[in-house]
Amino acid sequence: MFSEQSFRLDGKVAFVTGASYGIGFALATGFAKYGATIVFNDINEELVAKGIAAYREEGIEARGYVCDVTDEAQVQETVAKIERDAGPVDILVNNAGIIKRIPMIEMSAEDFRKVIDVDLNAPFIVAKAVIPSMIKKGGGKIINIASMMSELGRETVSAYAAAKGGLKMLTKNIASEYGEFNIQCNGIGPGYIETPQTAPLRTPDHPFNKFIVSKTPAGRWGTTDDLMGPAVFLASGASDFVNGHILYVDGGILAYIGKQPAND
Ligand code: NAP
Ligand code: GCO
């Protein structure tokens, strides 16, 4: 029966990938505020240590693991360690990601593959590693971090758009294949959010900065705070009948054709 408790995450183990900082860190802190136990990974010891310290500053005792999410052996080993240290993963957020902004015909196949590897192959690898225990436990939540580029293209982000478009369909397929085991797999599609990943686009003189504000009905860049409530909703019992959905948290970008130029 629906109640305020429906949004609580007490007793749940939440594993957020690439969560030493940025969106992943914010989502994990939101989960912790609703009672979840936080485990995260990052690509090296320095980032993991930085993340543990940052979580501690928020009053959160998080467990951090060094793991490259593109390496299936490392992922399988890390998930086994998490299950030993904290218990089976109840909530997985496939957050780790990279972007390379290069005009397509100038982009090497190696660079294209690297983006696909982190942004699409890795979510497959990590979800594959946690689903068996979710099935045994009677269910779980998987949240893939998609993008505006799951729906739209733009110059220089061909690999990223291909990956995030694929991630949308992987989300729908996991929902389809494992929904019968009470596993809900959804995505969050952030708009343009103030994080290190978009910092190069937000320098005061960068034309993209003004462009994005004009393309966003909310008239601003998003913040990681804007994503925490939607993530808690998708991680909680309040969304047990939501499956295969990409929840776009974009200030209205995808709904908006754009403002008529002033001189028309
Ligand atoms: P970010 O600041 O670049 O953080 C990404 C995190 O993932 C970093 O900690 C990074 O570690 C880690 N990571 C990268 N490759 C990894 C690997 N192979 N194994 C483990 N960890 C790895 O990015 P963000 O802005 O927080 O974005 C997080 C997610 O949201 C990404 O999937 C991104 O595509 C998506 N997204 C972002 C926006 C936005 O506007 N910021 C909008 C829509 C979607 P390193 O520091 O070592 O790279
Ligand atoms: C870019 C940005 C975007 C954001 C995000 C938008 O270069 O266009 O980095 O891709 O990261 O994915 O949803």
Side-chain angles (χ1 to χ4, degrees), residues 76-230:
Q76 294 277 352
E77 184 185 346
T78 299
V79 169
K81 285 179 186 171
I82 291 169
E83 293 186 353
R84 182 198 64 212
D85 298 344
V89 174
D90 299 291
I91 301 158
L92 167 65
V93 179
N94 276 312
N95 166 78
I98 62 171
I99 191 167
K100 293 181 184 292
R101 299 182 183 96
I102 304 168
M104 195 189 95
I105 60 173
E106 296 170 22
M107 185 177 225
S108 69
E110 182 188 358
D111 273 342
F112 190 94
R113 286 194 194 97
K114 179 65 180 167
V115 174
I116 297 291
D117 211 16
V118 179
D119 294 1
L120 179 57
N121 293 344
F124 155 75
I125 288 169
V126 183
K128 175 186 167 187
V130 304
I131 284 173
S133 294
M134 286 183 172
I135 292 173
K136 284 188 194 125
K137 198 169 182 181
K141 300 283 188 177
I142 298 173
I143 302 169
N144 293 321
I145 306 301
S147 163
M148 294 289 94
M149 275 57 224
S150 297
E151 302 293 344
L152 303 170
R154 82 175 187 89
E155 298 79 8
T156 76
V157 296
S158 60
Y160 185 83
K164 294 298 187 179
L167 185 59
K168 173 176 74 171
M169 288 315 302
L170 177 63
T171 301
K172 291 173 183 281
N173 213 75
I174 292 171
S176 304
E177 193 164 0
Y178 294 101
E180 69 175 284
F181 300 104
N182 188 34
I183 293 171
Q184 290 84 49
C185 182
N186 293 286
I188 285 177
Y192 281 82
I193 310 295
E194 295 174 350
T195 73
Q197 190 248 49
T198 56
L201 304 174
R202 287 184 284 108
T203 54
D205 57 343
H206 199 302
F208 198 83
N209 203 338
K210 192 175 173 187
F211 168 69
I212 278 304
V213 171
S214 76
K215 289 290 281 183
T216 309
R220 64 175 174 87
W221 283 76
T223 68
T224 54
D225 264 30
D226 290 320
L227 301 171
M228 292 161 83

